Amino acid sequence: MVSQTFYAGSRGIVRLAWARRLGLPDLSFADDGGTLLGRHDGASELVAVVLFGQLALVGPTGLVEAAAELDAEELLEGGALLRAAGPRAHGLRTAVLGFADDLPLEQPDTEPQVSRGAPEAIELEMRCPPDDVTSAGLTDRDHRFTIMLPEGPGACAAYSVQDGLLADLGVLVAPSLRGRGLGLLAASVAAHEALADGLIVQAAVPSHALAGLRLADSLGIQAQGRYAAVSLPHD
């Protein structure tokens, strides 16, 4: 693990971005703060987030208040969140949240050929399992960096900008080319571009994606929180 890639002084920026994403007042998250309850009747999701040790629950009033009585660890694992949301809830998503504001620059032995175009990222997606494509979410992100090999695209890292503050990063590697460091190379290119633009790098890695968690750790993105959400039925 690369040391000191996220500084405590950047916590306020991450907290601000997440408060805005969750529809909470800007200064809701704090070092000495308790559980945050965001009551948004009509919300389409029930969300639980732990950020630097502080829990926030956001969703319809009744569901949020019911979830606040449950164990935080079970909520973030997803089972308790599903129960609190009711029998018609679906689409559970859980993730580990990591951040970096300063990453070491490691030059590869040879200069990689990098494409920023959408067609190359789409071609890579066609070579990958649907679950991996959904998890990486390349087409939902505005800035793409695809490592091109003689045989075609090998890996792509892409990020979208959250509230003008965070660069939310996703990575996809062709199955036949995994284990060669291409994902780490693509992620490093994208992350340094984001840092150069004054953004903090964020990785929301699905909790079950061990390869993604290892990649984030190798890059130096430090785990600082967790996220869980379920979709609510439309009445």
Side-chain angles (χ1 to χ4, degrees):
M1 177 73 178
V2 181
S3 62
Q4 201 61 25
T5 59
F6 184 78
Y7 292 83
S10 294
R11 286 186 176 188
I13 298 172
V14 174
R15 286 168 166 158
L16 174 60
W18 270 93
R20 291 178 175 177
R21 175 174 173 177
L22 296 172
L24 298 170
D26 283 356
L27 301 181
S28 295
F29 287 100
D31 282 334
D32 57 353
T35 299
L36 301 172
L37 303 182
R39 300 173 177 88
H40 302 311
D41 291 328
S44 61
E45 291 185 317
L46 179 61
V47 179
V49 176
V50 161
L51 203 58
F52 309 114
Q54 185 177 12
L55 174 66
L57 297 166
V58 177
T61 299
L63 299 183
V64 164
E65 291 177 351
E69 301 297 323
L70 302 177
D71 180 74
E73 183 67 23
E74 292 184 359
L75 286 170
L76 293 161
E77 288 175 354
L81 196 70
L82 271 173
R83 293 194 299 273
R88 296 172 58 200
H90 62 282
L92 172 66
R93 304 179 305 285
T94 62
V96 176
L97 300 175
F99 307 97
D101 59 9
D102 183 20
L103 293 173
L105 181 61
E106 298 181 8
Q107 295 290 351
D109 294 335
T110 59
E111 188 71 20
Q113 181 181 351
V114 179
S115 169
R116 298 193 181 202
E120 292 78 9
I122 293 171
E123 182 182 346
L124 175 63
E125 289 181 324
M126 295 174 65
R127 300 182 177 190
C128 298
D131 287 349
D132 293 348
V133 172
T134 300
S135 177
L138 300 183
T139 54
D140 296 329
R141 304 177 196 272
D142 301 320
H143 306 274
R144 305 178 189 89
F145 304 84
T146 304
I147 305 299
M148 301 300 296
L149 303 176
E151 61 269 34
C156 179
Y159 69 84
S160 54
V161 179
Q162 180 179 325
D163 291 293
L165 300 170
L166 306 181
D168 189 57
L169 186 68
V171 181
L172 184 65
V173 183
S176 62
L177 298 173
R178 292 174 185 175
R180 294 172 49 176
L182 293 175
L184 182 61
L185 176 59
S188 179
V189 170
H192 280 96
E193 288 285 342
L195 292 172
D197 285 342
L199 301 168
I200 291 175
V201 178
Q202 170 181 280
V205 184
S207 303
H208 62 274
L210 299 181
L213 294 170
R214 287 194 296 268
L215 188 151
D217 184 69
S218 297
L219 185 62
I221 298 177
Q222 299 182 9
Q224 304 277 5
R226 292 169 66 186
Y227 169 90
V230 292
S231 297
L232 302 173
H234 298 288
D235 294 326

